């Protein structure tokens, strides 16, 4: 009997050790702009305050991210622009992104702060390919402003933001893209950002989670963090203090 009790005691101790050593793992999906320009800052911040949690990230389009949330292969999805309508997905806006007109620093408009729709229609425009989220939001916004899309002089379509920035920097045309993607180039004097007069263009950045499911405490922690708009703004702008601790809500820390 004593031998059996000893064996059970040792087994319980080993299980406890394994449980203590097991690290939490969260699967995150993100679309391209978020994955390149927002998520790295968020993960860097999380690494400082939650070193006990590991993250695996998949960069894909909105359709793929949404489907993998439904299939439980991704715990939290972060997408740009409109979210798919599906009763299995909870959609929550966590930030918004402004789409701006971007010109090279040597462009005649570089000394200005805004342009008119009529001026925009006459300029050579470099845009994302048909079907991209940025392209859809841009075309919808221009249409709502009253600009006939047939008037747009799209001279080149490219499949990535980096390619567009290189073409614009070479002086081949101008573009309309996320302000987040050109902040560094603007600081370095390579680009100038302009707005369409009286018509700012914003698109929502949305968080997708699976409806009717129970999140782990670590997932709830991240979701609550994404709800904190002041904190997210500081993270995006690189203004977070290294020693700042985050406890979004008591429930997030409960087992």
């Amino acid at each position: 009997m004593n031998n059996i009790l000893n064996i059970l005691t040792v087994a319980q101790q080993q299980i406890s050790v394994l449980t203590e050593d097991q690290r939490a793992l969260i699967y995150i999906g993100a679309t391209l702009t978020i994955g390149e320009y927002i998520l790295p800052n968020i993960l860097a911040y999380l690494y400082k305050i939650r070193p006990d949690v590991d993250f695996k990230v998949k960069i894909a389009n909105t359709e793929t991210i949404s489907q993998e949330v439904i299939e439980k292969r991704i715990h939290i999805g972060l997408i740009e622009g409109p979210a798919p309508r599906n009763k299995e997905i909870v959609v929550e806006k966590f930030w918004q992104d402004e789409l701006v007109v971007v010109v090279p620093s040597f462009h005649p408009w570089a000394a200005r702060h805004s342009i008119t729709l009529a001026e925009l229609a006459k300029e050579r425009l470099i845009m994302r390919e048909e079907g991209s989220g940025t392209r859809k939001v841009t075309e919808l916004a221009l249409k709502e402003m009253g600009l006939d899309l047939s008037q747009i002089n799209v001279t080149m379509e490219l499949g990535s933001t980096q390619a567009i920035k290189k073409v614009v920097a070479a002086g081949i045309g101008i573009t309309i893209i996320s302000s987040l993607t050109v902040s560094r180039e603007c600081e370095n004097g390579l680009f100038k950002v302009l707005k369409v007069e009286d018509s700012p263009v914003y698109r929502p950045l949305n968080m997708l989670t699976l409806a009717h499911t129970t999140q782990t405490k670590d997932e709830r922690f991240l979701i609550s963090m994404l709800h904190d708009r002041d904190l997210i703004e500081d993270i995006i702008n690189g203004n977070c203090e290294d020693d700042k601790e985050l406890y979004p809500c008591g429930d997030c820390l409960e087992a």
Side-chain angles (χ1 to χ4, degrees), residues 2-3 6 19 28 32 35 41-42 46 57 62 104 106 111 147-148 155 166 183-184 189 195 206 252-253:
N2 288 336
N3 287 338
N6 289 336
T19 301
I28 301 175
L32 189 59
N41 286 8
I42 291 175
L46 285 168
V57 178
T62 295
F106 52 81
L147 184 63
D148 186 344
T155 59
K166 288 183 179 180
S183 58
R184 181 171 299 176
K195 298 187 178 184
N206 291 313
C252 297
L253 301 177

Side-chain angles (χ1 to χ4, degrees), residues 9-255:
T9 300
V10 171
Q12 288 175 344
Q13 291 173 346
Q14 290 175 341
I15 291 172
S16 296
V17 170
L18 289 173
T19 301
E20 289 174 0
D21 291 343
Q22 187 175 3
R23 297 173 59 82
L25 177 61
I26 299 178
Y27 289 86
I28 301 175
T31 44
L32 189 59
T33 297
I34 295 174
E36 285 189 346
Y37 297 97
I38 295 180
L39 192 54
N41 286 8
I42 291 175
L43 293 177
Y45 180 74
L46 285 168
Y47 177 76
K48 294 175 183 177
I49 64 168
R50 294 299 305 271
D52 57 316
V53 181
D54 291 331
F55 300 90
K56 287 193 175 182
V57 178
K58 179 170 185 175
I59 307 297
N61 59 33
T62 295
E63 183 178 351
T64 299
I65 298 300
S66 304
Q67 188 59 37
E68 295 207 7
V69 169
I70 293 172
E71 294 173 0
K72 298 183 178 181
R73 288 187 283 179
I74 289 176
H75 300 132
I76 299 170
L78 304 176
I79 66 168
E80 305 141 28
R85 293 183 179 180
N86 191 307
K87 63 181 180 180
E88 296 185 60
I89 294 178
V90 177
V91 180
E92 298 175 281
K93 176 181 172 183
F94 74 93
W95 193 248
Q96 69 179 13
D97 181 23
E98 184 176 10
L99 298 180
V100 292
V101 178
V102 177
V103 303
S105 58
F106 52 81
H107 192 280
W109 293 348
R112 300 171 57 177
H113 298 289
S114 64
I115 59 171
T116 66
L117 278 175
E119 289 175 312
L120 181 63
K122 295 176 183 177
E123 189 70 10
R124 296 189 305 273
L125 201 59
I126 315 299
M127 296 190 72
R128 285 290 302 274
E129 77 284 4
E130 289 280 355
S132 78
T134 299
R135 176 71 173 261
K136 288 179 181 178
V137 173
T138 301
E139 289 183 340
L140 179 60
L142 293 175
K143 189 174 182 179
E144 289 178 347
M145 292 177 199
L147 184 63
D148 186 344
L149 297 182
S150 64
Q151 296 176 299
I152 301 176
N153 182 21
V154 179
T155 59
M156 193 177 297
E157 297 179 349
L158 297 170
S160 78
T161 300
Q162 291 299 327
I164 289 175
K165 290 196 292 186
K166 288 183 179 180
V167 169
V168 172
I172 298 173
I174 68 172
T175 191
I176 302 175
I177 55 177
S178 161
S179 61
L180 294 169
T181 66
V182 292
S183 58
R184 181 171 299 176
E185 289 84 356
C186 289
E187 290 175 0
N188 294 334
L190 181 63
F191 292 147
K192 176 65 184 294
V193 164
L194 305 170
K195 298 187 178 184
V196 179
E197 290 183 0
D198 301 321
S199 302
V201 181
Y202 293 98
R203 63 176 175 177
L205 303 184
N206 291 313
M207 172 173 53
L208 308 182
T209 53
L210 189 63
H212 312 300
T213 190
T214 302
Q215 281 105 10
T216 66
K217 65 181 180 64
D218 300 298
E219 291 166 23
R220 295 198 304 272
F221 185 93
L222 176 53
I223 290 169
S224 294
M225 172 180 158
L226 290 169
H227 285 155
D228 188 336
R229 291 185 61 83
D230 290 338
L231 176 63
I232 294 300
E233 181 175 9
D234 285 341
I235 290 173
I236 291 173
N237 294 329
N239 296 329
C240 281
E241 299 177 2
D242 290 344
D243 59 351
K244 183 177 180 180
E245 294 183 357
L246 171 66
Y247 295 100
C249 63
D251 293 341
C252 297
L253 301 177
E254 293 178 359

